[in-house]
Amino acid sequence: MPARATALLLIRIYQRYISPYKGFHCAYRCHTGRASCSALGYRVIRRFGAVGGIALLRMRLKRCSDIHAISMPPRPWRYQRGDCDPGCDPDCLDFFDCCSCDWPSRSKKNPKSSKKRSLFGR
């Protein structure tokens, strides 16, 4: 099977079986309203062959990742990694007293926050 046919088959498999279940969409498509990266990849590989099409697709994927980075809000990386918060003043002499990992457990829910509030305050 030639490289062009293999690449087109792999893109169709991705579009049919993986893309609908991954839970997010192409950022370039959402931002501009144009074709998704996989649809463009299929077109350019069909038109220019595997080598030329993949080169054009790489440029499009770069633009898509740039748009994704700009459009997404920044994530608080420090809290997601599980780092400890050094919660004391700089004059602290004992390292173990300064830095603690006493984060509240995620399994314990605040009973006040678990109640749903209506829009009218009832």
Side-chain angles (χ1 to χ4, degrees):
M1 185 182 272
R4 178 186 296 191
T6 304
L8 293 176
L9 178 67
L10 290 174
I11 289 173
R12 284 295 182 207
I13 289 172
Y14 167 78
Q15 288 177 335
R16 174 94 180 193
Y17 298 107
I18 297 172
S19 182
Y21 304 107
K22 67 181 180 177
F24 55 92
H25 303 285
C26 173
Y28 190 85
R29 178 179 178 209
C30 292
H31 185 72
T32 62
R34 296 185 177 182
S36 66
C37 292
S38 62
L40 178 99
Y42 190 86
R43 268 196 331 239
V44 297
I45 289 173
R46 187 179 64 205
R47 182 172 178 184
F48 298 110
V51 176
I54 289 174
L56 291 171
L57 182 60
R58 288 186 72 200
M59 291 190 303
R60 168 66 177 267
L61 292 174
K62 173 72 172 113
R63 279 184 281 171
C64 185
S65 69
D66 291 342
I67 288 174
H68 175 73
I70 291 169
S71 65
M72 293 300 294
R75 294 172 54 184
W77 58 270
R78 187 176 76 146
Y79 299 114
Q80 292 179 356
R81 288 190 341 192
D83 288 346
C84 298
D85 182 23
C88 71
D89 62 302
D91 297 329
C92 184
L93 299 176
D94 188 13
F95 175 76
F96 295 109
D97 289 337
C98 286
C99 300
S100 67
C101 292
D102 296 333
W103 288 90
S105 173
R106 290 184 182 187
S107 63
K108 296 177 184 176
K109 293 185 178 179
N110 188 0
K112 291 181 181 178
S113 66
S114 65
K115 294 180 182 178
K116 292 184 179 180
R117 294 183 184 207
S118 69
L119 295 175
F120 304 108
R122 296 181 193 168

